[in-house]
Amino acid sequence: MVRAERAINELTDVLADLVAAFTAAGHELYLVGGSVRDALLGRLGNDLDFTTDARPEVVKELLDAWAEVVWDTGIDFGTVSAQKQGQQVEITTFRADSYDGNSRNPEVEFGDTLEGDLIRRDFTVNAIAVRLQVDEQGGLIQELRDPMNGLGALARRQLDTPSAPEVSFNDDPLRMLRAARFVSQLGFELAPRVEKALRQMSEQITRITVERVQVELNKLVLGQDPTAGIDVLVRTGLGEHVFPEIGALQMTSDEHMQHKDVYAHSLQVMRQAIDREDGEPDLVLRWAALLHDVGKPDTRAQKPGGGVSFHHHEVVGAKIVRRRLRQLKYPKALISDISQLVFLHMRFHGFGDGQWTDSAVRRYVTDAGELLPRLHKLVRADSTTRNPKKARRIQRAYDQLEERIAEIAEKEDLARVRPDLDGNAIMEILDLKPGPEVGKAWAFLKELRLERGPLEHEEAVAELKAWWAENGESA
């Protein structure tokens, strides 16, 4: 608690006037929820959550007098937000909501007690409050309120619900996904009764819109240990309703026969990809690492001499990724990036069979485009062999590929491999008007550029004319 007190006291300059204003108006103000939890964990951020007995109209009036910016888009639900000196606050009137059991949208009812507000929260670690007051010297007085024993759960690093989990999850099924997300973000474990309820009620998640599911999945994937959160989804059955292709990997034997299944391998690749991140968590890389082998269940085939193969699983996997992410309404650019990484992750393995031509290296770089740094990380992370000799051989082969890329990049602009003649030059040389023939000629020159590298102008013109003489009428 000392760490939390210190963190909250550091905000005295910005919060003291706000607390004093609520006290002068005859109202209580409590820091609550994730803000208290994070303060206790030593990770308090700049977005603070408060609860109060004051009604929303009063809250807005007090914030208008205190803050630099106020927005009241959530006032119908009792929430008013504001910002001052870079500190964001969100203040919500005590709630005592009721649910109809069919949707996650409650009948909004304002409450009169802190305890009534706390018991309706998702998890006990988020149901701790700190009452704030101001002393005569202008300092903050802190009084901990923990009627749900959230401190005990925090000490155990356990997620439990204030009320029976069956009631809590029926009220708002999104809390089931939040459980998996908090496992990822906080490194906590589920209380046995919570996990039991998740298994029994997983189908209830279908009451939640895909947009809300997407938000929670992203937060989970960006957590400190997303593989733990993913494993909650899979083992409780939640994953069957939000991303069934992940759990399906459990049924597929890995071709190396060194992992119990492709699922375990995929989680390990995700962990290894995270180890290669530069600073901020990379949503695209993490999703691609988790899903890179998602096409294996559909391409599994028995080899004549024993074992299994997964030919073209990267092609099938890219299609599966695009389909599922579209259903979850992910942005088009993100879908394109993740599926392209899945599609390309096997390309490198041809390099290990023999020295690639310059043309093959150019195509590798061109097809990856801006995703090349992520592709490097994904391919290296995809090596989970327990054979140290083999692991060193794979990494050495990729070192050689990166060296080849660097060598060619010194001679030519690999970041933008374009034909040696643009569309205007093509039309002038072949006496064409804008149309599909110009596009086909451009595509020919692009292939030529990839195959042979930069050409002198005269050589490019000669190649274009020769191609046109042979293909002009049918182009």
Side-chain angles (χ1 to χ4, degrees):
M1 185 59 197
V2 174
R3 182 165 52 185
E5 289 177 353
R6 189 182 302 120
I8 296 170
N9 279 332
E10 289 177 359
L11 301 173
T12 298
D13 289 346
V14 67
L15 292 182
D17 289 346
L18 178 63
V19 175
F22 272 80
T23 302
H27 297 290
E28 299 175 344
L29 188 64
Y30 297 86
L31 190 67
V32 74
S35 295
V36 177
R37 180 202 69 218
D38 288 347
L40 289 164
L41 292 173
R43 45 187 283 177
L44 184 62
N46 291 323
D47 193 355
L48 304 179
D49 294 326
F50 294 87
T51 189
T52 180
D53 60 325
R55 291 307 190 247
E57 297 76 14
V58 176
V59 173
K60 185 176 185 308
E61 182 180 339
L62 293 171
L63 285 177
D64 281 336
W66 170 80
E68 297 162 355
V69 181
V70 176
W71 54 99
D72 60 1
T73 51
I75 196 167
D76 290 342
F77 296 94
T79 299
V80 184
S81 303
Q83 179 173 307
K84 182 176 182 178
Q85 298 178 24
Q87 190 72 53
Q88 291 189 18
V89 301
E90 184 176 280
I91 303 178
T92 302
T93 301
F94 292 160
R95 296 271 290 271
D97 301 338
S98 60
Y99 293 80
D100 61 11
N102 295 316
S103 74
R104 67 175 297 266
N105 297 319
E107 293 291 330
V108 178
E109 298 176 13
F110 298 130
D112 297 314
T113 67
L114 174 67
E115 289 72 14
D117 179 89
L118 295 180
I119 198 171
R120 55 165 290 278
R121 293 179 178 264
D122 54 4
F123 300 103
T124 56
V125 294
N126 296 331
I128 309 170
V130 175
R131 185 185 182 189
L132 299 179
Q133 294 175 288
V134 178
D135 61 25
E136 294 180 356
Q137 289 75 41
L140 290 178
I141 302 172
Q142 303 179 37
E143 180 185 349
L144 185 73
R145 299 287 183 86
D146 184 25
M148 308 301 156
N149 194 25
L151 281 175
L154 201 65
R156 296 190 301 274
R157 304 187 71 80
Q158 185 181 72
L159 287 173
D160 202 354
T161 51
S163 58
E166 294 81 5
V167 174
S168 180
F169 297 156
N170 187 64
D171 283 348
D172 184 359
L174 187 66
R175 291 170 176 169
M176 295 191 289
L177 267 185
R178 286 168 63 85
R181 189 244 289 185
F182 284 131
V183 167
S184 167
Q185 289 181 325
L186 304 175
F188 287 11
E189 295 183 352
L190 302 178
R193 67 172 190 160
V194 169
E195 177 146 352
K196 180 181 178 182
L198 289 178
R199 293 176 185 273
Q200 293 175 342
M201 302 179 65
S202 61
E203 190 176 0
Q204 293 291 319
I205 199 64
T206 57
R207 289 163 47 195
I208 303 301
T209 65
V210 292
E211 291 87 351
R212 295 291 294 163
V213 168
Q214 181 207 126
V215 169
E216 288 299 323
L217 287 177
N218 285 346
K219 290 179 179 178
L220 185 160
V221 170
L222 291 172
Q224 67 176 14
D225 186 8
T227 59
I230 292 294
D231 203 48
V232 169
L233 296 183
V234 172
R235 73 173 186 256
T236 62
L238 277 171
E240 284 295 311
H241 305 288
V242 298
F243 214 128
E245 294 83 1
I246 298 174
L249 294 171
Q250 292 182 111
M251 305 304 295
T252 309
S253 300
D254 187 271
E255 69 268 34
H256 304 300
M257 297 301 181
Q258 294 176 347
H259 305 279
K260 64 178 180 180
D261 50 43
V262 176
Y263 172 69
H265 164 75
S266 298
L267 294 186
Q268 181 62 19
V269 172
M270 190 182 199
R271 284 188 285 266
Q272 293 180 176
I274 290 170
D275 289 341
R276 295 182 175 277
E277 288 177 339
D278 303 316
E280 293 298 312
D282 188 333
L283 185 66
V284 169
L285 176 64
R286 291 183 178 203
W287 268 124
L290 177 64
L291 303 175
H292 74 287
D293 279 346
V294 79
K296 283 189 172 179
D298 289 349
T299 57
R300 185 177 188 274
Q302 207 72 32
K303 292 180 179 179
V308 293
S309 65
F310 305 96
H311 293 307
H312 304 303
H313 73 271
E314 71 279 13
V315 178
V316 174
K319 292 179 181 177
I320 290 172
V321 168
R322 285 194 293 271
R323 182 175 66 245
R324 177 58 60 188
L325 295 184
R326 284 184 191 128
Q327 290 174 352
L328 289 167
K329 297 190 177 180
Y330 272 83
K332 289 181 180 179
L334 192 137
I335 294 173
S336 175
D337 286 350
I338 296 172
S339 61
Q340 184 69 352
L341 285 171
V342 171
F343 177 72
L344 292 174
H345 84 274
M346 290 294 293
R347 184 80 62 85
F348 155 73
H349 293 281
F351 183 83
D353 296 335
Q355 192 71 3
W356 275 9
T357 64
D358 286 356
S359 171
V361 175
R362 289 189 198 99
R363 290 179 189 278
Y364 189 77
V365 174
T366 301
D367 288 348
E370 293 181 353
L371 295 172
L372 185 63
R374 286 184 173 119
L375 183 59
H376 289 334
K377 295 172 185 176
L378 174 60
V379 173
R380 289 185 182 275
D382 193 22
S383 173
T384 60
T385 176
R386 297 171 187 172
N387 183 327
K389 234 182 196 180
K390 184 175 182 181
R392 286 194 296 271
R393 186 171 69 249
I394 293 171
Q395 295 300 335
R396 189 162 54 247
Y398 206 85
D399 288 341
Q400 292 169 357
L401 173 57
E402 289 202 61
E403 289 168 7
R404 289 285 308 286
I405 291 171
E407 288 171 6
I408 297 174
E410 283 184 8
K411 305 172 187 174
E412 31 183 297
D413 184 7
L414 283 180
R416 292 185 63 195
V417 176
R418 300 180 63 81
D420 296 285
L421 303 171
D422 64 16
N424 290 327
I426 291 170
M427 288 188 287
E428 182 179 343
I429 292 166
L430 300 181
D431 192 24
L432 294 174
K433 294 181 179 179
E437 294 87 355
V438 178
K440 291 176 182 178
W442 190 94
F444 161 73
L445 289 172
K446 173 72 178 288
E447 285 295 311
L448 192 66
R449 171 71 173 78
L450 286 168
E451 190 66 33
R452 291 164 51 180
L455 303 179
E456 294 294 335
H457 180 77
E458 295 76 10
E459 187 179 3
V461 171
E463 291 286 354
L464 175 64
K465 288 181 176 178
W467 174 83
W468 182 252
E470 185 177 343
N471 301 278
E473 291 185 7
S474 59

